[in-house]
């Protein structure tokens, strides 16, 4: 059996092409499951509730009496009432309280 000059390169190319097309399984590791829904810590939830309520009361009072928009001058903003040491440290409570206070004050003062 005699191969022509054209047949040999064609057979070689077909063999290489078929070998390159062999399927190789691809395995991958599945990522970790998503973290569970993060709930708000009780300390922050309480600060948010107390701060918003206090800010809304003071904002409504200032708007009604015509005192002007001055939320950082109110005593409750500085004293941050409602803190319970059993729930956690004071710093995060104070920050969350003041943020919520300003939201409540603005909403109530501007009637939003």
């Amino acid at each position: 059996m005699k191969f022509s000059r054209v047949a040999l390169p064609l057979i070689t190319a077909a063999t290489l092409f078929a070998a390159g097309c062999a399927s190789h399984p691809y395995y991958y590791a599945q990522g970790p499951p998503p973290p569970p829904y993060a709930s708000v810590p009780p300390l922050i939830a309480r600060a948010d509730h107390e701060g918003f309520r206090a800010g809304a009361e003071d904002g409504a009072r200032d708007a009604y009496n015509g005192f002007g928009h001055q939320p950082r001058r109110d005593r409750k903003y500085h004293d941050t009432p409602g803190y319970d040491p059993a729930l956690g440290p004071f710093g995060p409570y104070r920050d969350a309280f003041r943020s919520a206070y300003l939201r409540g004050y603005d909403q109530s003062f501007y009637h939003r």
Side-chain angles (χ1 to χ4, degrees):
M1 186 160 148
K2 191 170 184 182
F3 293 105
S4 68
R5 290 183 189 196
V6 177
L8 188 58
L10 285 176
I11 294 172
T12 305
T15 305
L16 291 174
F17 180 74
C21 292
S23 81
H24 300 285
Y26 180 72
Y27 299 103
Y28 64 95
Q30 185 175 1
Y37 177 76
S39 62
V40 178
L43 175 77
I44 302 302
R46 181 170 186 161
D48 191 58
H49 174 74
E50 295 293 327
F52 189 86
R53 184 183 54 77
E57 289 172 359
D58 291 348
R61 181 201 64 220
D62 290 352
Y64 179 77
N65 293 329
F67 291 149
H69 186 269
Q70 299 175 349
R72 288 182 173 88
R73 290 191 175 180
D74 287 318
R75 177 172 295 286
K76 291 178 194 170
Y77 178 82
H78 293 285
D79 291 348
T80 61
Y83 172 67
D84 183 4
L87 296 176
F90 180 70
Y93 178 86
R94 179 194 60 224
D95 297 341
F97 179 93
R98 289 179 177 172
S99 176
Y101 181 91
L102 293 175
R103 277 194 336 266
Y105 188 97
D106 287 346
Q107 183 175 342
S108 183
F109 188 84
Y110 293 118
H111 308 292
R112 295 182 194 167

